[in-house]
Amino acid sequence: VSADRIATARLSSESPIMVTGYATAETPEKLPETVSLARQVAKRLHEKRELDPEWFWLGPDAEVAVIAEGARPSRVVLTIEHGNESLENVRARVASEFREAANHLPISVNMTGACEKRGLARVSGASGRGASVYGSLIPVLPSLIGLDIQCVEKAGSWLARRAALSLLRRGAVAPLVQAVYLPGDFKPAYIKARDAHGRDLSAEVVLAELSLDRVRKEWWRSGLNLDAARWGFAGEPGLPWEE
């Protein structure tokens, strides 16, 4: 059996799959400001836990939400596990250490009270939720965590992000690209592209750029799947569709 036939079989699905790609000039990462800020705070949490001995109490499980009023972020909400450290002390230290990471916005920590340990029991069933890769105003994607790169949802989402970035670089304003793949097909059967002004950009998307076998032939390298999952597949340097 040829490698191409094996790849086609792995890419097949029982029903059509729709993927979404989005890009905006709001931030250097080409992501909405709220998403960029939430990721910035999450990375700062990771750094404190991994590198600062005085933050030994900070657990690995955390959620970061950025609340916006209108188009601009107005507040950062954290839910973190803090062991035996008092919540009062945790809130004071976060307010002091995260002021710059949060762009000097108000920060709320554990609004429902102390949280010594979150763990799997507190988020049971969360794997079925959609992932707001581009923020709550963009169509929600299925969770891509745990999927192989041959899965249409994952490979197609990477390709759609690249197509959106390409339109943005050619002058489109906040383009949104959607593509539908039929079972067993490498190329999408349907493409829809719009920008923030409602202009139809579908004709400007090159069909070959959204061919699923491009991921395997052009982008694949050891560790790619892990790198795309660590902080999200959009906006991270070093990922081939972001370059």
Side-chain angles (χ1 to χ4, degrees):
V1 181
S2 70
D4 283 342
R5 289 189 61 186
I6 293 174
T8 302
R10 296 181 68 184
L11 284 166
S12 65
S13 60
E14 295 182 356
S15 60
I17 299 297
M18 174 177 282
V19 298
T20 300
Y22 177 74
T24 174
E26 288 182 33
T27 63
E29 302 92 343
K30 305 298 186 291
L31 291 173
E33 190 175 2
T34 51
V35 177
S36 177
L37 181 55
R39 189 174 296 180
Q40 182 174 298
V41 173
K43 288 182 177 181
R44 180 62 174 162
L45 278 171
H46 179 71
E47 290 174 0
K48 297 301 289 184
R49 178 176 176 269
E50 292 285 317
L51 303 176
D52 192 336
E54 294 186 3
W55 287 63
F56 65 91
W57 44 266
L58 182 60
D61 191 4
E63 292 184 13
V64 181
V66 176
I67 311 301
E69 294 181 3
R72 299 303 305 276
S74 61
R75 183 182 182 190
V76 177
V77 179
L78 302 183
T79 303
I80 58 179
E81 54 181 62
H82 52 84
N84 294 324
E85 192 79 359
S86 72
L87 181 55
E88 182 180 358
N89 189 34
V90 169
R91 286 172 171 167
R93 298 185 72 172
V94 168
S96 173
E97 300 269 354
F98 280 71
R99 186 177 293 108
E100 185 174 348
N103 288 354
H104 301 278
L105 295 175
I107 306 174
S108 299
V109 180
N110 291 16
M111 298 176 66
T112 59
C115 181
E116 294 184 3
K117 188 173 180 63
R118 286 166 57 86
L120 182 60
R122 295 180 66 93
V123 291
S124 179
S127 61
R129 296 184 303 181
S132 298
V133 177
Y134 303 114
S136 59
L137 297 180
I138 305 301
V140 174
L141 299 173
S143 175
L144 303 180
I145 300 298
L147 295 180
D148 185 86
I149 68 163
Q150 299 287 0
C151 291
V152 178
E153 294 95 330
K154 177 164 281 187
S157 295
W158 294 352
L159 290 161
R161 164 69 175 177
R162 178 58 177 265
L165 286 171
S166 179
L167 290 174
L168 183 71
R169 290 163 183 153
R170 297 203 300 269
V173 180
L176 176 69
V177 177
Q178 294 178 306
V180 175
Y181 294 88
L182 299 180
D185 286 350
F186 281 123
K187 295 181 181 179
Y190 170 80
I191 297 174
K192 179 180 179 181
R194 296 283 190 278
D195 71 359
H197 298 309
R199 294 182 300 173
D200 188 350
L201 306 175
S202 305
E204 298 185 29
V205 179
V206 180
L207 191 62
E209 291 183 354
L210 286 167
S211 181
L212 294 168
D213 59 347
R214 184 182 184 188
V215 174
R216 181 173 52 85
K217 292 180 178 179
E218 299 181 22
W219 292 346
W220 169 249
R221 60 169 171 76
S222 179
L224 177 62
N225 212 12
L226 177 61
D227 290 344
R230 182 174 287 113
W231 295 109
F233 68 83
E236 286 299 298
L239 298 175
W241 49 90
E242 294 292 308
E243 297 173 355

